[in-house]
Amino acid sequence: MAQRGAAQRSNDPVPLPGKIPISLVVNGVETALKVAPWTTLLDALRDNLELTGTKKGCDHGQCGACTVLVDGRRVNSCLTLAVMKDGARVTTVEGLATKDALHPLQQAFIDHDAFQCGYCTPGQLCSAAGLIAEGNAKTPDQIRELMSGNLCRCGAYPNIVAAIQQAMGTNS
Amino acid sequence: MIPFHYARANDVADAVRMISADPAAKFIAGGTNLVDLMKENVERPSRLIDISRLPLDTIEPTADGGLRIGALVPNSDLAYHPLVEQRYPLLASAILAGASAQLRNMASTGGNLLQRTRCAYFYDTVTPCNKREPGSGCSAIGGINRIHAILGTSENCIATHPSDMCVALAALDARVRVTGPAGERAMAFDDFHRLPGDTPQTDTNLLPDEIVTAIELPALGFADNYSYLKIRDRLSYAFALVSIAAALELEGGAIKQARLALGGVAHKPWRNTAAEAALRGQRADQASFSRAADILLRDAKGYEHNAFKIELARRGIIRTLTQAAQATPQSQYDKKIR
Amino acid sequence: MTSYIGTATSRVDGRAKVTGEARYAGEFKAIRLAHAAVVESAIPKGRISRIDTGAARRVAGVLDVLTHENRPRMADTDKAWKDDVAPEDGSPFRPLYDDRIMFSGQPIALVLGEDWETARYAASLVDIQYDKQDFVTDLRQQHDQAFVVEKPDKPHGDADKAFAAASVRHEAEYYIPTEHHNPMELFASTVVWDGGGKLTVYDKTQGVQNVQRYLCSVFDKAPDDLRVISPYVGGAFGAGLRPQYQVVLATLGALALRRSVRLVLTRQQMYGLGYRPATIERLALGASANGTLDALTHEAIAVTSQFEEFSRNDTGWAALLYKSTNANYVHKLARLDLPTSSDMRAPGAATGVYALECAMDELAIALKLDPVELRLRCYSDRDQNEDLPYTSKALRECYRQGAEAFGWKARKAEPRSMRDGSDLVGWGMATGVWEALQMPMAVRIVLGANGHAEVFCAASDIGTGTYTIMAQVAADALGLPIDNITIRLGDSTLPQAPVEGGSWMAASTAHAIAATAEEIRGELLALAKRIKDSPLADARPEDVALADGRLVSKLDASRAISIADAMRSGAIERIEKEKTNTFAEDKKHARNTHSAVFAEVKVDEQLGVIRVTRVVSAVAAGRILNAKTAHSQIMGSVVWGIGMALHEETVFDHRFGRIMNANIAEYHVPVNADVHDIKVIFVDEPDDLVNPMGIKGLGEIGIVGVAAAIANAVYHATGKRIRDLPITLDKVMR
Ligand SMILES: Cc1cc2nc3c(=O)[nH]c(=O)nc-3n(C[C@H](O)[C@H](O)[C@H](O)COP(=O)(O)OP(=O)(O)OC[C@H]3O[C@@H](n4cnc5c(N)ncnc54)[C@H](O)[C@@H]3O)c2cc1C
Ligand code: SF4
Ligand code: FES
Ligand code: FES
């Protein structure tokens, strides 16, 4: 049986397909951009829109550093092709705070020292925002499990859990 | 990644037409497996057909009391759907044992079925691999094979299917609905995935120009006595070394119906009806569970690094059946194994 | 008068990090930025016989493809390639230098393109043919070829003889696999072409000045023509001590194109950088029945590359912890066809003390002694390598407070004797030890008449909290609110700093700030004296302090002059001082940090699944500058210890000489669900000998001993002694 998608093997370069215009509502701002089919949402944010708050830690869905909210749901932007999200609402770490105040999660992360190097932090924050919106985590065990898609090599996990509890208002 | 064209399908017929027109095209749904493999140059489609906006995203009761799940329902929506939580908690539990919350938000029901193996050689284009390059050899045999299969292997490939969700679907006797140029057909879940044999490059019996449209669950959901136990190298966000889906229908201490399926042990979710038959009519106790485990693992064969899976699976089967019988299913949050 | 030092001040860089404003090396902007992608070697050893870049060059958007055949000039002596922390012996790796292949994953070509995806695609089209050579990547296979390296630890007596005669003996081999740092940030450099051959290099590094000197040397640049900047570092753990190859390649690309270039390595490519070497450790302990040591032998065989000799102290730690009448230490290196191994959090100690502390546990069992009690019986008040007393050593207190907080008293000695339902419960403990190092360092302070100060230094903050503790120390030294302090780090043009490593940064920066602040104070006093009828007219420099924005007499608090008034008297707007602090040499004392780690595991009896449910780490590390960030340092290190004990292992296929889990899904590090209750205790340890402020540093001590405590707990739970890390469930089930 023929294998799909395994056709092209020669060493000759394949012509690059043209860029495709899309529009995204990024942190509340309607944004038009042109992307190649292979551009991920992560690279579109970081390279095309210069929103470098969203991080690349693996580019393969293995670390969670690239977590953003797409139409309110947390996803790994490194495995999301930007063209597929034409018309979507995207929230990144840059869109969490309002003009006057940090998002309660951001403040809680500072209060609980829920990071060290800070590189996983934007992903942790967006993931935590998604977690709270989903409403499936009530106990620390549930928070731990549902935040396990965000690696923190600095090992800030217990403080991350405490910060999320504070933001959920389940912690004094 | 190699360059590719992008096109969006508007309906199922459109999707089938588009895939039939280009032998090197692939569907993309959540993208969590396909984009990963494209970045590794393992998958090299000339064209991606975006099916993510097809209206296959609903979960509906069927006339015979079962459930019909659209192929594009995200894994997380499926796991938290009230009808699934109530009637098919085994499925909900298995889904929540897999990947991460983010990935489950992205991953589709159909894509989960069609995700490919996590064999390291399959991913590493520098090394031989029959699944990636038919005829090049299997590096896992004689190489690093800790995560590999112990059942249904061939001398050409010992890869496993990595899904958790599919293990529950196998146990629940789901059916897969597909549409191709010749129209619609349905497959028993057990017929969907295949064993490696001489053609390990082919994971499933889906034809190259068919699309998965839905999964159907029969009425019987085993909501009272079930458990999904996933055993892995860390407590979350890791693929199964061995996972077990167990479901029982009990009648006064005796087993009326049993279902038993394993993940992480074979090229497909491994269900063994002989082991299930051996449980039928027996008491729900260690002795009968142990017998069922022995039957299921009778032909198991270990390799250099994965032989431990045979004993792990045996103990895991007994444990999971016990959890099911006692109605204390494994929690995917509290990691204590009860 | 101390008001910030010691408090739980929140990170001053916290806001930048939670809003996404903090920029890391691969995120700096430049006009006409080109993107680079690396092509790696598929084989571990040989020569490139042919490299065809034609197809890659034909891809639209590709600007150039660099290989050893066409690259711009680079230095051709080993000396020029030696960075500040390179191993003394050997010949440092030179990327794209010639046709030689020395490890799998070695960079052999660099594709430069208008965007990253295009460059990556083109990189996949570069066609390479090799002349392959025989290779070896397996430590066990190279065991017998290992050679002895000199170490500072001093054997004494005849350990072999004493061991043979000892009444209770324990001898065993322990194994630590290769581990990779895997900081969350990918290694990256953005090299900005400033015109006229001048470059600004944004790099992921633990030492901007090290990278600056190295690049100037490799590319024959004048110091003023190349500046290295790294304000934020997304974790490094030792991986950023030496300049990594991406910074050389990005610079090479910029020189070739005469435009700005960014190179971000893939996670997979980061497995071609340094690593914690796989190590075989042999311990032989002989004791008398009363639990004192007669003989102690520690041998280690660690991995290095074929071209450099990297080694750290694995074997000398016992001499810091335990008295033994006879002791022998042997450290060997085995050469493999891999990149050079490197420093990784507590290099040498994380591995050596793992083995030592497991061996001590086994000896305690043989002696039927409580493991804490055995350590107390062997406790050494002197460093036996040098026969010196410590500046301070509150390790006894660590044992006491740690045990109490953990509830150690309730432990039943017998393995498999404690249960929680289907779980076997195990309690284990171990000791940790590390060095209290300090380095010469310079700080510049600019104090404005408005009472705001900027503090400059080339040091890096890799997440350890350097920005914050520097702000605290500066605020206290200058008597200003912390919000008035701005810290500027990570720029090679700033005052001299060592690489951020070895846990020396806290002590070094704090004293450099204090020294510079003293100069500022002196100048202010001189200005204050000029004021007519100055209340400080007779004050001596040592009699005044800065507090609340004023210069105040310590003898009479009513005598004070505000900073603003003092500056106005001299008609100046700012005072700028730079001072290099060096530490007095003290050869009469040993300087170390210590810890006692207690761990609880629950192990499913049938399935071998391990959960680390509780860890208590009691640390003695002198004065703690910031209770919050210090806690995080230790907590994070404990998480590393959990990973080391249960998860981490770089897996090789020695047939290909390749790493088969070169990613962060199959190279397991702990996730949130793996980490539960971690309690950190800082034991009071006043120390006016180590340095004037009594600071010892915390970056590494927290990991040392953790893996041993967990391994010992697993034994206590299951009765199974697993000496080969990581302790995976198949080993427990076996
Ligand atoms: C780091 C990581 C960890 C993971 N851990 C787990 C885990 O523990 N357990 C687990 O079960 N899974 C795990 N996954 C895998 C994840 O569940 C799958 O990637 C996901 O389910 C695939 O769904 P998708 O919609 O994203 O598929 P896609 O990537 O879009 O597609 C996958 C394949 O299916 C084909 N396809 C998709 N939809 C259809 C359709 N309707 N008809 C025909 N063909 C179709 C595509 O052409 C493609 O070949 C993990 C993934 C990652 C990246
Ligand atoms: S097990 Fe299968 S997938 Fe893995 S190397 Fe062998 S053929 Fe390839
Ligand atoms: S960068 Fe997307 S998950 Fe790691
Ligand atoms: S804060 Fe450094 S990785 Fe999480």
Side-chain angles (χ1 to χ4, degrees):
Chain A
M1 198 180 298
Q3 260 313 94
R4 281 225 159 261
Q8 301 168 41
R9 282 275 157 214
S10 99
N11 227 18
D12 266 339
V14 181
L16 307 187
K19 294 197 174 181
I20 301 170
I22 61 166
S23 85
L24 298 171
V25 181
V26 182
N27 298 327
V29 181
E30 177 92 43
T31 311
L33 63 165
K34 285 179 111 177
V35 290
W38 60 19
T39 300
T40 61
L41 179 59
L42 175 60
D43 290 328
L45 290 168
R46 283 171 66 87
D47 293 345
N48 301 32
L49 303 178
E50 295 193 333
L51 286 171
T52 52
T54 307
K55 304 304 182 199
K56 184 184 281 190
C58 70
D59 217 20
H60 287 277
Q62 304 171 349
C63 78
C66 64
T67 304
V68 298
L69 302 170
V70 172
D71 294 327
R73 295 162 71 105
R74 48 177 165 159
V75 301
N76 304 85
S77 61
C78 69
L79 292 182
T80 304
L81 295 178
V83 276
M84 290 176 67
K85 294 299 158 192
D86 187 13
R89 273 183 306 117
V90 180
T91 305
T92 70
V93 70
E94 289 95 340
L96 291 181
T98 61
K99 239 207 313 295
D100 322 303
L102 291 179
H103 187 283
L105 275 165
Q106 291 172 313
Q107 188 57 51
F109 267 56
I110 295 176
D111 294 345
H112 288 274
D113 209 34
F115 52 87
Q116 294 179 36
C117 76
Y119 199 79
C120 73
T121 311
Q124 301 278 2
L125 286 163
C126 289
S127 189
L131 169 102
I132 292 172
E134 288 157 11
N136 296 314
K138 310 227 152 38
T139 66
D141 274 341
Q142 289 170 331
I143 296 175
R144 277 192 279 267
E145 168 60 24
L146 294 172
M147 286 300 291
S148 283
N150 292 84
L151 303 189
C152 174
R153 187 53 159 162
C154 295
Y157 299 126
N159 292 358
I160 292 169
V161 174
I164 292 172
Q165 284 183 292
Q166 172 177 314
M168 293 196 319
T170 61
N171 194 22
S172 47
Chain B
M1 247 190 269
I2 66 161
F4 58 89
H5 294 276
Y6 169 83
R8 193 177 292 160
N10 295 315
D11 53 40
V12 171
D14 198 23
V16 171
R17 219 166 20 246
M18 288 163 87
I19 199 102
S20 308
D22 183 349
K26 288 209 81 145
F27 291 132
I28 184 162
T32 58
N33 189 232
L34 186 54
V35 175
D36 177 27
L37 288 166
M38 285 168 67
K39 288 184 183 189
E40 302 282 5
N41 285 327
V42 173
E43 298 276 15
R44 305 159 67 90
S46 60
R47 180 180 307 275
L48 285 188
I49 300 166
D50 180 356
I51 57 170
S52 65
R53 300 188 190 211
L54 297 188
L56 301 173
D57 58 348
T58 54
I59 299 174
E60 285 155 10
T62 54
D64 62 357
L67 209 60
R68 185 187 163 102
I69 303 154
L72 287 159
V73 173
N75 288 179
S76 49
D77 288 11
L78 182 55
Y80 293 117
H81 194 281
L83 284 178
V84 176
E85 283 182 332
Q86 285 155 27
R87 290 169 44 193
Y88 307 95
L90 174 65
L91 177 59
S93 184
I95 294 171
L96 294 180
S100 68
Q102 290 95 311
L103 288 162
R104 295 192 295 265
N105 276 342
M106 303 169 70
S108 67
T109 304
N112 192 304
L113 264 58
L114 287 147
Q115 64 175 300
R116 310 207 66 190
T117 185
R118 309 302 288 200
C119 171
Y121 303 98
F122 176 67
Y123 267 79
D124 182 356
T125 52
V126 162
T127 57
C129 164
N130 285 326
K131 189 181 274 300
R132 180 169 32 76
E133 281 289 331
S136 63
C138 171
S139 298
I141 299 174
I144 305 295
N145 48 37
R146 179 176 153 74
I147 66 164
H148 287 74
I150 52 171
L151 287 162
T153 56
S154 78
E155 72 269 21
N156 300 306
C157 179
I158 59 170
T160 58
H161 191 263
S163 169
D164 289 294
M165 184 182 94
C166 290
V167 183
L169 290 175
L172 290 169
D173 216 2
R175 290 177 76 74
V176 185
R177 298 208 76 90
V178 307
T179 301
E184 256 207 283
R185 64 175 180 131
M187 275 187 258
F189 203 79
D190 197 43
D191 296 334
F192 187 79
H193 297 97
R194 57 186 297 286
L195 292 178
D198 294 336
T199 51
Q201 67 272 25
T202 313
D203 294 346
T204 69
N205 290 317
L206 188 74
L207 298 174
D209 38 19
E210 282 180 325
I211 182 170
V212 175
T213 54
I215 302 288
E216 280 172 4
L217 293 174
L220 185 56
F222 299 92
D224 294 327
N225 294 93
Y226 72 93
S227 184
Y228 187 75
L229 178 62
K230 180 176 186 181
I231 306 165
R232 47 187 151 178
D233 275 326
R234 64 182 175 196
L235 295 176
S236 185
Y237 206 12
F239 289 94
L241 290 167
V242 172
S243 69
I244 304 108
L248 298 171
E249 214 188 332
L250 298 176
E251 221 168 43
I255 300 168
K256 193 169 157 215
Q257 272 230 63
R259 297 288 173 75
L260 189 56
L262 267 64
V265 297
H267 199 256
K268 59 188 284 189
W270 192 263
R271 182 172 164 203
N272 184 316
T273 43
E276 292 172 2
L279 285 167
R280 225 169 290 140
Q282 303 297 309
R283 300 202 58 76
D285 61 16
Q286 297 289 306
S288 30
F289 296 162
S290 174
R291 254 190 324 272
D294 288 342
I295 294 170
L296 192 145
L297 294 163
R298 199 160 40 208
D299 298 324
K301 170 171 175 235
Y303 294 82
E304 192 180 347
H305 306 117
N306 73 347
F308 74 94
K309 281 189 176 184
I310 300 174
E311 181 59 19
L312 183 65
R314 210 180 67 79
R315 295 184 198 177
I317 290 168
I318 297 170
R319 192 65 166 277
T320 315
L321 283 166
T322 308
Q323 291 178 325
Q326 295 177 349
T328 53
Q330 179 60 40
S331 158
Q332 302 305 348
Y333 298 116
D334 168 4
K335 303 292 174 176
K336 187 178 165 69
I337 303 168
R338 287 176 208 282
Chain C
M1 182 168 17
T2 295
S3 54
Y4 291 103
I5 292 178
T7 61
T9 302
S10 290
R11 277 172 208 266
V12 297
D13 50 342
R15 197 185 173 90
K17 285 178 175 171
V18 299
T19 54
E21 275 162 28
R23 268 183 204 274
Y24 298 79
E27 298 172 349
F28 287 86
K29 297 178 197 174
I31 34 174
R32 295 209 327 125
L33 180 67
H35 296 259
V38 173
V39 180
E40 315 109 85
S41 164
I43 65 158
K45 192 171 192 171
R47 289 192 180 265
I48 302 169
S49 55
R50 205 179 70 95
I51 186 159
D52 180 357
T53 59
R57 286 172 184 281
R58 286 199 299 278
V59 175
V62 167
L63 301 164
D64 202 351
V65 183
L66 302 180
T67 69
H68 65 282
E69 291 171 347
N70 67 345
R71 59 163 172 83
R73 217 191 87 76
M74 296 190 284
D76 57 7
T77 64
D78 285 341
K79 187 163 171 286
W81 284 88
K82 274 214 161 108
D83 68 276
D84 295 357
V85 290
E88 268 167 45
D89 297 313
S91 161
F93 174 60
R94 309 173 187 177
L96 257 53
Y97 189 78
D98 57 20
D99 63 350
R100 271 184 309 163
I101 305 277
M102 296 185 290
F103 53 89
S104 185
Q106 176 179 326
I108 51 179
L110 186 74
V111 178
L112 298 156
E114 293 289 356
D115 62 66
W116 183 75
E117 294 94 334
T118 305
R120 271 222 31 92
Y121 164 54
S124 73
L125 299 176
V126 174
D127 187 30
I128 305 131
Q129 264 141 48
Y130 305 96
D131 286 333
K132 296 183 188 168
Q133 291 167 7
D134 289 343
F135 59 88
V136 51
T137 54
D138 186 355
L139 172 59
R140 307 240 192 232
Q141 202 182 321
Q142 210 60 356
H143 192 281
D144 298 339
Q145 278 74 43
F147 57 97
V148 175
V149 281
E150 288 301 315
K151 288 288 152 194
D153 39 48
K154 298 202 180 88
H156 56 268
D158 186 337
D160 285 350
K161 213 165 114 192
F163 180 75
S167 55
V168 180
R169 284 192 294 255
H170 166 68
E171 184 178 9
E173 216 173 76
Y174 302 82
Y175 178 73
I176 301 96
T178 305
E179 297 170 358
H180 277 80
H181 309 73
N182 275 309
M184 288 316 306
E185 183 194 9
L186 300 172
F187 266 85
S189 307
T190 306
V191 176
V192 178
W193 178 260
D194 293 327
K198 287 193 190 257
L199 300 173
T200 303
V201 178
Y202 297 92
D203 188 34
K204 175 178 176 66
T205 174
Q206 291 171 254
V208 284
Q209 290 177 329
N210 185 23
V211 173
Q212 196 261 355
R213 280 188 288 272
Y214 170 83
L215 289 178
C216 286
S217 159
V218 165
F219 292 104
D220 197 18
K221 290 255 164 217
D224 285 348
D225 288 347
L226 194 147
R227 175 178 179 192
V228 179
I229 297 180
S230 181
Y232 294 104
V233 182
F237 314 108
L241 287 170
R242 300 185 68 183
Q244 296 296 350
Y245 74 68
Q246 91 287 343
V247 75
V248 176
L249 295 187
T251 307
L252 206 56
L255 293 172
L257 294 183
R258 303 175 67 82
R259 59 187 266 201
S260 302
V261 169
R262 173 177 302 154
L263 173 56
V264 182
L265 297 190
T266 63
R267 175 64 54 186
Q268 184 177 354
Q269 286 164 348
M270 281 166 55
Y271 286 80
L273 308 178
Y275 51 90
R276 191 193 295 287
T279 312
I280 298 168
E281 314 257 358
R282 191 177 75 85
L283 263 294
L285 305 176
S288 356
N290 68 355
T292 54
L293 281 170
D294 299 328
L296 189 158
T297 297
H298 190 167
E299 291 175 10
I301 307 178
V303 170
T304 191
S305 64
Q306 299 285 6
F307 48 94
E308 276 181 310
E309 290 176 21
F310 172 85
S311 76
R312 286 291 177 256
N313 178 13
D314 275 70
T315 52
W317 303 100
L320 300 173
L321 295 173
Y322 306 123
K323 281 181 295 203
S324 176
T325 331
N326 302 278
N328 191 25
Y329 311 102
V330 183
H331 196 115
K332 293 185 183 173
L333 285 180
R335 292 194 185 282
L336 298 179
D337 294 297
L338 296 175
T340 305
S341 44
S342 76
D343 286 311
M344 177 162 152
R345 206 164 203 173
T351 43
V353 176
Y354 159 70
L356 172 67
E357 286 299 286
C358 287
M360 286 295 279
D361 197 66
E362 298 198 56
L363 183 66
I365 291 157
L367 285 161
K368 299 198 166 50
L369 267 183
D370 180 84
V372 180
E373 179 56 29
L374 173 65
R375 280 147 177 102
L376 292 172
R377 292 200 189 172
C378 302
Y379 196 91
S380 175
D381 286 309
R382 296 177 82 81
D383 166 354
Q384 293 157 96
N385 285 325
E386 305 293 333
D387 192 26
L388 293 174
Y390 293 92
T391 59
S392 61
K393 180 174 178 176
L395 176 57
R396 273 202 186 85
E397 216 23 48
C398 295
Y399 290 133
R400 198 187 66 72
Q401 291 188 27
E404 188 176 304
F406 188 81
W408 186 255
K409 255 203 332 240
R411 180 179 187 264
K412 294 191 203 132
E414 196 58 30
R416 303 179 66 87
S417 62
M418 292 167 64
R419 281 185 168 273
D420 171 12
S422 51
D423 284 334
L424 296 164
V425 177
W427 288 3
M429 61 82 56
T431 315
V433 54
W434 185 247
E435 299 163 288
L437 302 168
Q438 48 204 21
M439 303 288 262
M441 186 158 138
V443 153
R444 177 162 74 238
I445 298 179
V446 178
L447 175 67
N450 60 359
H452 283 254
E454 275 187 286
V455 181
F456 300 88
C457 169
S460 308
D461 184 337
I462 56 173
T464 46
T466 308
Y467 277 107
T468 309
I469 58 169
M470 285 183 72
Q472 291 174 276
V473 172
D476 282 358
L478 298 170
L480 296 172
I482 198 164
D483 291 343
N484 288 14
I485 309 288
T486 306
I487 308 291
R488 306 251 181 245
L489 302 178
D491 180 339
S492 62
T493 62
L494 297 180
Q496 169 233 323
V499 292
E500 167 116 356
S503 299
W504 55 57
M505 203 46 100
S508 310
T509 50
H511 289 86
I513 291 172
T516 312
E518 196 174 310
E519 303 257 305
I520 298 256
R521 203 176 62 218
E523 172 117 6
L524 280 171
L525 180 61
L527 291 169
K529 287 188 187 211
R530 286 207 242 154
I531 293 177
K532 201 162 148 276
D533 301 328
S534 170
L536 297 174
D538 305 325
R540 291 172 305 170
E542 58 272 29
D543 292 338
V544 293
L546 283 164
D548 304 326
R550 302 177 316 158
L551 200 58
V552 190
S553 164
K554 290 196 224 168
L555 308 172
D556 175 358
S558 70
R559 292 172 175 268
I561 283 181
S562 75
I563 291 173
D565 287 345
M567 288 210 195
R568 200 172 309 125
S569 83
I572 56 171
E573 282 298 308
R574 59 207 284 275
I575 299 176
E576 177 171 337
K577 291 285 175 195
E578 178 172 331
K579 179 116 167 84
T580 304
N581 176 66
T582 50
F583 292 90
E585 212 177 325
D586 170 6
K587 294 205 159 153
K588 297 213 173 73
H589 291 93
R591 359 165 124 248
N592 291 91
T593 51
H594 297 89
S595 69
V597 188
F598 296 81
E600 175 182 86
V601 299
K602 295 192 175 172
V603 185
D604 185 87
E605 188 174 7
Q606 292 161 2
L607 305 173
V609 175
I610 303 170
R611 291 173 296 140
V612 179
T613 43
R614 282 196 302 137
V615 177
V616 173
S617 175
V619 177
R623 181 179 199 171
I624 302 307
L625 292 172
N626 182 321
K628 205 180 241 189
T629 57
H631 180 277
S632 288
Q633 280 292 296
I634 302 301
M635 186 183 74
S637 296
V638 169
V639 174
W640 270 61
I642 294 172
M644 181 176 176
L646 303 184
H647 306 130
E648 294 189 41
E649 175 175 18
T650 304
V651 178
F652 290 86
D653 185 328
H654 298 300
R655 298 171 306 171
F656 301 110
R658 267 176 97 72
I659 295 171
M660 294 319 299
N661 61 344
N663 58 59
I664 191 96
E666 262 73 40
Y667 181 102
H668 294 130
V669 299
V671 297
N672 208 319
D674 291 300
V675 179
H676 286 249
D677 193 5
I678 298 174
K679 186 173 174 60
V680 178
I681 298 169
F682 290 110
V683 167
D684 217 22
E685 193 181 55
D687 188 337
D688 49 15
L689 292 171
V690 66
N691 51 46
M693 294 168 85
I695 301 166
K696 284 182 166 180
L698 286 170
E700 355 247 333
I701 180 64
I703 184 181
V704 186
V706 178
I710 292 170
N712 295 341
V714 169
Y715 171 79
H716 181 238
T718 62
K720 286 217 176 73
R721 179 61 66 174
I722 295 149
R723 302 189 182 94
D724 288 7
L725 295 181
I727 305 173
T728 47
L729 58 89
D730 48 317
K731 297 178 187 170
V732 180
M733 273 183 60
R734 217 177 272 153

